[in-house]
Amino acid sequence: MLTVCYSTRQYDQSYDEVIRKSCGLKEVHIISYQNKGDKSLSKVYNEALKICEDRYCVFIHDDLDFSKCPNWGEKLIRNFEETDYGIIGVAGTTKLNKSGIWWENRTALYGQVWHRNNNKTYQTYFCPEQFNRDIQEVCCIDGLFIAVDKTKLNSQFDESIPGFHFYDIAFCVRNWSKGTRIGVCFNIPIIHKSIGRISQEWQNTRQLFCDKYNRLLPLVQNIDVPYEDLVFYEKTPKVGIIIPTKGSPELVEQCVKSFREKSFYCNYK
């Protein structure tokens, strides 16, 4: 029913078990590539697409934690079956500039991702927390989680993009420009056990991407809801809320409920 593919420098069987147990599906096939840099992610993922016998395939990083999203595989399949999206991710944008940097337009971002760094976990909202819909249509998604319906793809990954950067952006540009619908879902909250870092390799690959796809950029996906008073949360520090009480549990319950319903700040305990 679902194939999960990932590339890793050092294979760890326990990661396969995490995927199987968390996805909530009886039938899940895992394709793992031990890849120490010999092959680009584009080449690895294209090989997986060729041998994948399932209609739905998801490409993930090897450092994801699914503890916050039990049965994520069931939710993903439902996302595809109830829509006509060909590509679904967890973070993306409705506008991709000629720079190729998907997070550059902050008012065009959608999605949510948890990050873990230095033993601290925090939540990044790429759009207001109260934005409530199952899937938002975008033109580009981030590569930590790329799910596809193979019957609706118009292009494979671009193997002329080397290494481990911009494979995701090129894949989206190729498909979106040919009519494949791309969406960001909000019901699969993933923890990413690392934060992105811009290196010289990243810059070099970005320039290669821009030179090749300049004629197709910018991409703009029109949205059907207005944006007002957008607040962008990134690496928000955790705030501890202390509520002294004595003999009034109903008041405490109301107080906590009000935080959950009214607070626009997301990282509190």
Side-chain angles (χ1 to χ4, degrees):
M1 180 175 290
L2 177 68
T3 293
V4 180
C5 172
Y6 68 92
S7 174
T8 183
R9 290 186 177 275
Q10 184 63 47
Y11 174 70
D12 184 352
Q13 186 177 357
S14 65
Y15 192 50
D16 290 5
E17 293 304 310
V18 168
I19 295 170
R20 288 194 178 93
K21 291 179 179 179
S22 62
C23 75
L25 297 172
K26 292 182 179 180
E27 185 178 353
V28 57
H29 304 104
I30 299 176
I31 302 175
S32 57
Y33 287 85
Q34 184 162 323
N35 177 22
K36 297 186 177 181
D38 302 327
K39 295 182 179 181
S40 67
L41 281 185
S42 291
K43 185 173 182 59
V44 167
Y45 288 173
N46 279 341
E47 290 180 3
L49 281 173
K50 290 179 182 178
I51 64 176
C52 170
E53 297 181 355
D54 295 305
R55 175 175 175 175
Y56 305 112
C57 184
V58 56
F59 304 95
I60 63 174
H61 286 188
D62 64 348
D63 58 349
L64 302 186
D65 182 336
F66 296 96
S67 59
K68 289 186 177 294
C69 50
N71 302 322
W72 62 267
E74 291 182 355
K75 297 174 183 176
L76 179 62
I77 298 298
R78 196 179 312 119
N79 288 341
F80 277 120
E81 291 180 342
E82 295 178 354
T83 68
D84 62 348
Y85 286 99
I87 302 173
I88 294 177
V90 295
T93 182
T94 57
K95 185 176 182 180
L96 180 68
N97 291 347
K98 284 185 173 294
S99 67
I101 303 174
W102 74 266
W103 65 85
E104 194 168 51
N105 296 285
R106 293 191 169 185
T107 58
L109 302 180
Y110 287 89
Q112 59 174 330
V113 178
W114 291 78
H115 290 91
R116 183 172 296 153
N117 186 43
N118 294 328
N119 296 319
K120 295 182 179 180
T121 302
Y122 56 88
Q123 189 173 18
T124 301
Y125 275 104
F126 296 99
C127 58
E129 182 178 0
Q130 56 264 65
F131 181 84
N132 183 21
R133 67 170 50 183
D134 295 329
I135 301 179
Q136 167 62 45
E137 187 163 10
V138 296
C139 62
C140 182
I141 59 172
D142 182 69
L144 85 159
F145 186 96
I146 303 176
V148 304
D149 178 344
K150 294 198 306 178
T151 67
K152 295 177 180 175
L153 291 182
N154 285 300
S155 179
Q156 293 187 322
F157 291 87
D158 184 356
E159 295 187 19
S160 71
I161 301 296
F164 303 92
H165 306 293
F166 285 87
Y167 64 93
D168 47 355
I169 313 303
F171 179 66
C172 290
V173 170
R174 288 157 68 97
N175 278 280
W176 186 89
S177 62
K178 294 178 181 179
T180 301
R181 292 188 71 196
I182 303 175
V184 165
C185 67
F186 296 83
N187 58 353
I188 303 178
I190 292 173
I191 299 175
H192 194 194
K193 299 179 184 178
S194 65
I195 56 177
R197 292 183 172 86
I198 296 178
S199 62
Q200 188 58 51
E201 180 185 2
W202 183 92
Q203 292 285 16
N204 293 341
T205 310
R206 184 180 74 84
Q207 189 59 56
L208 177 66
F209 164 83
C210 291
D211 290 344
K212 180 168 185 178
Y213 290 96
N214 179 70
R215 64 182 180 83
L216 295 177
L217 300 177
L219 303 185
V220 179
Q221 175 61 55
N222 294 325
I223 59 175
D224 57 1
V225 293
Y227 251 113
E228 296 179 359
D229 301 324
L230 178 87
V231 177
F232 180 83
Y233 290 122
E234 181 179 13
K235 301 181 181 178
T236 49
K238 176 163 284 189
V239 175
I241 302 171
I242 302 171
I243 310 173
T245 181
K246 181 179 180 181
S248 300
E250 68 282 355
L251 296 180
V252 176
E253 182 179 0
Q254 293 175 18
C255 181
V256 173
K257 185 178 180 181
S258 71
F259 270 99
R260 291 174 176 170
E261 293 180 348
K262 304 297 183 182
S263 176
F264 198 47
Y265 196 85
C266 57
N267 195 16
Y268 60 81
K269 178 179 181 182

